[in-house]
Amino acid sequence: MTRRVAGTAVTSGEPAVRLLAPLRERRFALYLIGQLLSQIGDGIYLVTLPFVMLDQGGGPANLGVVLACYGTARLAALPIGGALADRLGARPVMLAADALRALVVLGFAVLAANGHIPLWAMIAVAVPFGVLGGIFMPASFSVLPQIVRPESLAAGNSLIAIMQSTSRIAGPALGGMLVASLKSGVGLLIDAITFLVSSLTLMAIRPSRPATGTADEPAAQHADDSDRLRTWRSVLRYAAGSPLVRMTLLTTLVFNLAAVGLIEVALPIFAQDSLGRGAFGFGVMMAGLGAGSVVGALLGPALLRLRRRGLIALCLGTAEGLALTGVPVGNSLVMATAAMFTAASLQATVNVFYMTMLQRAVPARALGRVMSLLATCAGLAFPASALLAGTALGTADPEVVIIVAGLGVSAAFSVGFFSRPYRNL
């Protein structure tokens, strides 16, 4: 029951679940360990790839071509991944994708060890690697309801967010040490091993029987959803008609248009030109972002227990954008890092909230495809945001670009205030 103080409900009736509760479930513990190792391997790959190409005599242009091929292939494969997850199940899709990625990276390591790799061969590796990554992503977003109890979804999303933040720090750091002390190909070999370990942990998981609908709907409604959500057209109609899905897709698109260019383009220029701290200053601000993400992920489950949680989530998202506008205040590295920490903590909190709400509300028959739409919005916004920020920095100071981007983030969440169902989640 909802607890009341002085006649006013202060919680939404959510059960109090300990953050570490999902780790008591063998399925989730295996999943988290496997994905932690896999994402650390991705971080190693991120650092290793450029130096493999440089060691092979490739220049920045070739590196750009390879990364563009990888990114395009991954983006194109997202809808396929969502459809496969809905049809075959998220876990089998993830297992197959990780096993095949292990083979692709292992092949790349063998090529790197044998001498010069022509550009066409690198593209031949990058394209299937991107396709498999695109297939994997929607499945990874939709698998959690199959491996944890419904009341543990929020805590599970929180632990996954903490794991992702940790791996983003540990992976590149480990990759840098490997490249500095050993051959670049060693990093590729380790990445292949992490994919193999991930696939083995997924194989060891015995998920609960997938639901045909959400936990809050009657069985007849579940069957109806299963019948009417078989095709992509029906899922698109569902997404357009669902305030939660529609507004989350819109917010994701606008948020990434505003935030990606800020972090990837404007922030390094600000660290170099305005702060005079270069890579060190940028690294410190990114460390603040990583620490904030961990703190926010810890707080995410608490948001679901608040009575006006939908409205509060929108307020937190709007405040995140305002925090970003504080990055250039005083041209201080301490102030900029504090602003990044605050913004990241707010973003991680609302991420846990909205991911959990989607996993609860969207029928299981369509969850993979809805998650692929979410990933596609973010993927499409990435290059556009970077291009916009780069163009703007040609005529404006980085401080101006950062402030405008922060206001854009606030605007993305402010749109949600105009949707009553979204406010009242």
Side-chain angles (χ1 to χ4, degrees):
M1 296 295 291
T2 301
R3 180 168 59 91
R4 293 181 179 271
V5 176
T8 302
V10 296
T11 71
S12 64
E14 290 279 340
V17 177
R18 293 181 182 273
L19 178 65
L20 300 182
L23 292 176
R24 300 191 186 100
E25 301 183 42
R26 177 178 177 273
R27 295 170 299 186
F28 182 80
L30 284 170
Y31 174 78
L32 195 69
I33 292 170
Q35 292 311 298
L36 174 62
L37 293 175
S38 177
Q39 294 202 24
I40 288 176
D42 285 345
I44 295 173
Y45 180 85
L46 179 69
V47 175
T48 301
L49 177 62
F51 290 94
V52 168
M53 295 200 66
L54 292 175
D55 291 344
Q56 298 292 329
N62 283 355
L63 178 60
V65 169
V66 171
L67 291 177
C69 290
Y70 163 78
T72 302
R74 186 176 70 165
L75 185 62
L78 287 172
I80 300 172
L84 288 174
D86 287 340
R87 180 174 293 273
L88 303 177
R91 186 186 68 93
V93 171
M94 293 173 65
L95 195 162
D98 266 356
L100 291 173
R101 284 196 288 183
L103 293 176
V104 170
V105 177
L106 183 60
F108 192 15
V110 171
L111 287 174
N114 287 337
H116 177 70
I117 309 175
L119 178 60
W120 67 264
M122 290 190 177
I123 294 174
V125 170
V127 170
F129 192 66
V131 168
L132 292 170
I135 289 174
F136 179 91
M137 189 179 297
S140 69
F141 289 165
S142 59
V143 73
L144 192 60
Q146 300 177 23
I147 58 176
V148 298
R149 297 183 179 92
E151 63 271 17
S152 296
L153 269 178
N157 280 314
S158 179
L159 290 171
I160 289 172
I162 294 170
M163 175 270 292
Q164 290 171 338
S165 297
T166 302
S167 64
R168 289 190 191 106
I169 297 171
L174 182 58
M177 289 188 290
L178 288 171
V179 170
S181 57
L182 301 170
K183 291 184 178 180
S184 301
V186 175
L188 295 175
L189 180 60
I190 292 175
D191 189 28
I193 293 172
T194 63
F195 280 129
L196 179 60
V197 172
S198 174
S199 63
L200 291 175
T201 58
L202 287 165
M203 187 180 298
I205 293 173
R206 293 293 180 265
S208 59
R209 186 175 181 178
T212 57
T214 68
D216 297 330
E217 297 172 337
Q221 183 64 38
H222 291 180
D224 180 63
D225 282 334
S226 181
D227 289 337
R228 68 184 177 85
L229 294 174
R230 292 185 181 278
T231 66
W232 256 112
R233 178 178 296 180
S234 63
V235 171
L236 291 175
R237 283 199 301 266
Y238 167 80
S242 166
L244 171 62
V245 176
R246 183 176 67 245
M247 292 303 300
T248 301
L249 292 175
L250 177 61
T251 301
T252 298
L253 179 63
V254 178
F255 170 83
N256 281 278
L257 280 172
V260 169
L262 183 156
I263 295 172
E264 301 291 340
V265 182
L267 208 59
I269 302 300
F270 173 72
Q272 178 71 34
D273 295 347
S274 301
L275 298 181
R277 306 301 291 269
F280 171 78
F282 179 63
V284 170
M285 287 186 283
M286 293 306 290
L289 185 148
S293 296
V294 172
V295 172
L298 289 169
L299 297 174
L303 176 57
L304 279 100
R305 302 194 65 239
L306 300 180
R307 176 172 172 262
R308 302 299 299 275
R309 57 193 186 183
L311 183 61
I312 293 171
L314 291 172
C315 291
L316 292 178
T318 304
E320 176 195 354
L322 298 178
L324 289 173
T325 64
V327 168
V329 173
N331 278 348
S332 163
L333 179 58
V334 173
M335 180 66 186
T337 303
M340 292 299 296
F341 174 89
T342 302
S345 62
L346 294 170
Q347 175 61 22
T349 300
V350 298
N351 274 350
V352 170
F353 172 73
Y354 286 119
M355 182 62 72
T356 303
M357 295 303 294
L358 285 170
Q359 290 168 342
R360 289 178 175 179
V362 177
R365 187 72 175 81
L367 186 57
R369 282 167 289 178
V370 168
M371 291 301 181
S372 74
L373 291 175
L374 196 67
T376 299
C377 286
L380 288 173
F382 189 101
S385 179
L387 182 61
L388 285 172
T391 302
L393 286 166
T395 57
D397 293 333
E399 292 88 345
V400 174
V401 174
I402 291 172
I403 291 172
V404 171
L407 293 175
V409 170
S410 292
F413 284 97
S414 296
V415 173
F417 288 109
F418 297 96
S419 171
R420 179 177 294 179
Y422 207 60
R423 293 196 310 267
N424 295 333
L425 286 175

